[in-house]
Amino acid sequence: MPQLFALGIFSVGGGLLLWAGRVGSKPDTGWLPALAIAAVAAALLTAAVVYSFRRTGCRAVSELLGELFTSVPARCILLLLGIFLTARAAQTLSLYTGMTGRFLLPKTPSLVLAAAAVVTALVLMYDGLRSMARTAELLMLMSIIPAAVMLTAFLVRIDTAELLVLAQPRMGDIAPQLTPALYTFAGVECVIFFVGHGRGKGSRTVPLAVGASAIVSAVLFVGAVGILTLGGVQSSDYPFIETARMINIGGVNLTERFDILLILLRVLFIIVQTAVLLYCASISISSFFGREIRRRTAPVLCAVAVVASLLMDKALLDRICTVGLYGTLLGLIPAVFVLSLFHKKQKNGNEKSKKGRGAG
């Protein structure tokens, strides 16, 4: 299902920006192993959510949580999910305005940049899932050739001698990299929780989107290390963009403009990711109130995300998002999976006991 695959790809579009060093630690020799661990974890967790939906027969996240946790705890979880996803959108906008303000539009106020991105995201998600999915699929098709050119240029330009340091990763470097590596795939669970609902073969494509994102991230990291060196990557707030500014192809100096390609791709990914996060947040808040008010909550959450991205202390915002990320991926999803297994077995046991009493 191309549209679900595209949503899965774009849902993690802002993760690589967290190489600004705000979360966890700077990329080191343990980044590639940590990336592989995070990718496997994200793929397994999304598959666990799919399985939970299918085992319970539920079709919406509010129905699933209500079935497993009862009404009041389920609504509390939905409220917390809505807050967390709005904070994630604010964090993404904060990273976006920092990147765009530095490299693309330095004289444009951050408020204007954030407002433009969130209004575009609001338009994208306002007409619902179909419109957002079609747009994601179209943008993915448009991005294939530029992305291929960018990744090829990264690999052609590298100095392989600089990559030897990655061949022997230090075990002590892996653990500090796990949080930023997990952020690389943050958002993909939204596609299953609020969009996929575990229905059809299309939902199986989301783990494939995780794998594709992991490959792109790994290639960009290898290219950045091969061009900037590992020390250069660690000293740069935006190593991918700095790497793109150093690329020359065929004797033609593209130092000043090649980075524009990467920045524009990042902007597209960030807008769609913001739309996915706020769409899911609005569904979560609507489910908390038990009413279909997504179209009314969406503009409010967009405004909250913009204000939080500009005024909220970045360390506090990052801390909230990190707690929410671990709470969702390592707390809520495993709990849903385990409870769905127990729920199904209990239901089957009740049915068998009823049949036994009827036969007696």
Side-chain angles (χ1 to χ4, degrees):
M1 188 174 179
Q3 291 183 352
L4 190 58
F5 179 82
L7 280 175
I9 289 289
F10 278 94
S11 70
V12 299
L16 295 177
L17 278 178
L18 288 165
W19 278 30
R22 283 175 48 176
V23 178
S25 60
K26 293 282 189 176
D28 209 328
T29 60
W31 173 255
L32 291 179
L35 186 72
I37 294 171
V40 171
L44 291 177
L45 290 170
T46 52
V49 177
V50 172
Y51 191 72
S52 298
F53 271 109
R54 290 179 178 175
R55 287 279 298 216
T56 59
C58 298
R59 296 175 63 87
V61 65
S62 57
E63 181 184 356
L64 177 66
L65 295 178
E67 188 77 13
L68 298 177
F69 293 97
T70 70
S71 179
V72 174
R75 290 198 174 191
C76 292
I77 293 173
L78 287 167
L79 177 61
L80 291 175
L81 278 175
I83 295 172
F84 161 59
L85 293 172
T86 303
R88 282 280 293 122
Q91 184 188 49
T92 302
L93 288 173
S94 174
L95 293 161
Y96 158 74
T97 54
M99 178 196 72
T100 308
R102 178 182 298 188
F103 295 105
L104 193 61
L105 299 169
K107 296 184 179 180
T108 305
S110 296
L111 176 60
V112 175
L113 293 174
V118 83
V119 167
T120 307
L122 179 62
V123 172
L124 184 61
M125 68 173 174
Y126 201 69
D127 286 336
L129 174 61
R130 289 184 179 275
S131 175
M132 191 164 55
R134 286 195 298 265
T135 302
E137 182 182 23
L138 178 61
L139 290 177
M140 183 184 69
L141 294 175
M142 292 172 59
S143 302
I144 289 177
I145 294 179
V149 170
M150 175 190 67
L151 295 177
T152 302
F154 268 59
L155 293 177
V156 168
R157 182 68 170 76
I158 63 175
D159 180 358
T160 54
E162 297 292 344
L163 301 181
L164 294 178
V165 68
L166 302 179
Q168 296 179 328
R170 297 185 295 269
M171 297 303 296
D173 291 339
I174 297 178
Q177 306 295 304
L178 288 176
T179 295
L182 198 60
Y183 260 106
T184 300
F185 309 104
V188 73
E189 77 280 3
C190 294
V191 178
I192 288 297
F193 250 140
F194 295 92
V195 178
H197 305 314
R199 292 178 295 166
K201 295 181 179 180
S203 59
R204 300 173 188 173
T205 63
V206 179
L208 296 179
V210 172
S213 301
I215 291 173
V216 172
S217 179
V219 171
L220 288 174
F221 174 67
V222 169
V225 171
I227 296 173
L228 291 180
T229 75
L230 183 59
V233 169
Q234 292 174 334
S235 63
S236 175
D237 286 341
Y238 301 96
F240 297 150
I241 298 175
E242 296 292 350
T243 302
R245 294 168 70 89
M246 298 178 63
I247 292 177
N248 301 315
I249 300 178
V252 178
N253 190 340
L254 296 176
T255 302
E256 298 299 328
R257 293 292 93 187
F258 190 84
D259 60 309
I260 295 296
L261 176 62
L262 181 57
I263 293 173
L264 291 178
L265 287 175
R266 302 298 299 128
V267 169
L268 291 177
F269 273 75
I270 289 167
I271 289 175
V272 179
Q273 188 196 39
T274 303
V276 171
L277 290 169
L278 291 175
Y279 174 83
C280 296
S282 62
I283 290 179
S284 187
I285 297 298
S286 297
S287 300
F288 168 74
F289 287 108
R291 301 171 59 188
E292 180 51 52
I293 54 174
R294 181 186 66 82
R295 291 197 172 191
R296 281 179 278 176
T297 58
V300 175
L301 295 180
C302 286
V304 170
V306 170
V307 172
S309 70
L310 298 176
L311 300 182
M312 194 170 180
D313 179 70
K314 290 182 174 56
L316 176 60
L317 179 61
D318 294 340
R319 196 173 299 115
I320 292 173
C321 292
T322 300
V323 171
L325 177 67
Y326 276 103
T328 302
L329 295 183
L330 302 184
L332 178 60
I333 292 177
V336 166
F337 176 69
V338 172
L339 288 175
S340 67
L341 294 178
F342 177 77
H343 177 80
K344 188 67 176 181
K345 290 179 181 178
Q346 185 183 53
K347 189 173 182 180
N348 288 341
N350 289 339
E351 291 175 352
K352 290 179 180 178
S353 63
K354 288 180 181 179
K355 289 180 180 179
R357 287 195 300 268

